[in-house]
Amino acid sequence: MTDAIAAPPPSTVDAGSPSPVADGIERPLDPRWVVLQRQVGWIAAAVVFLAGFMVVSLTGLAVLAGAAPLVNLLGLGLLWLVVSGGLAWRAHAWPPLAYRHTAYRVGAIGLDIRRGVVWRRHMAVPRSRVQHTDVSQGPLERTHGLGTLVVYTAGTDHARVDLPGLDHATALRIRDHLLPDEGGDAV
């Protein structure tokens, strides 16, 4: 497995003008999303690792005091190692896999999102169903210049569609494109 991340397709538009977002071309997420997801994964893995270490240490003290059998310490220690190893794998290896299997396309009639490593999903959000859109940024997303496009639609199924891993400026342009035209009558 390689960690090489494909760069987004080169733009054919003048660098001084913003590229059109509704060109119907399928695009990958921003490659910085992989780095961000790895950081989030390592933070979560570190928290679980430290919590597990404390539980194993307390169990070790109970074994030394004769209050718990040795098998409890061995079982907890093995579980701690397996869970920590799994989280470390997920923090490092999963983001490139998810990146390769996620893409979006913005067209004149709406937004298509394809994602999923094991279970694949293809969502189509027509502009006529968009009620409003947001672009959010958490603290780590801000450090990478990324944003999450959130689209709210009419209906109960998929009433909220998130598309993380976009360059913040691109997310803002998609948000503006998905808004109903002036005088339009969105649902």
Side-chain angles (χ1 to χ4, degrees), residues 8 10 13 27-28 38 44 46 59 69 112 119-120 122 130 134 140 145-146 148 158 166-167 180:
V13 178
R27 298 184 187 283
R38 281 183 170 160
T59 304
D112 290 332
W119 285 274
R120 307 268 165 91
H122 186 169
V130 173
D134 289 332
L140 288 176
L146 299 174
T148 298
H158 310 297
L166 298 174
D167 175 75

Side-chain angles (χ1 to χ4, degrees), residues 13-90:
V13 178
D14 179 19
S17 64
S19 63
V21 293
D23 54 8
I25 297 174
E26 186 172 284
R27 298 184 187 283
L29 299 178
D30 192 293
R32 293 174 288 182
W33 181 78
V34 174
V35 176
L36 170 69
Q37 289 303 302
R38 281 183 170 160
Q39 289 175 343
V40 170
W42 282 113
I43 290 170
V47 169
V48 172
F49 178 84
L50 291 175
F53 179 76
M54 292 184 65
V55 169
V56 170
S57 297
L58 291 174
T59 304
L61 291 175
V63 168
L64 288 176
L70 181 61
V71 71
N72 287 358
L73 178 62
L74 295 175
L76 280 175
L78 182 62
L79 178 64
W80 175 58
L81 288 175
V82 169
V83 170
S84 296
L87 288 175
W89 175 85
R90 192 205 179 289

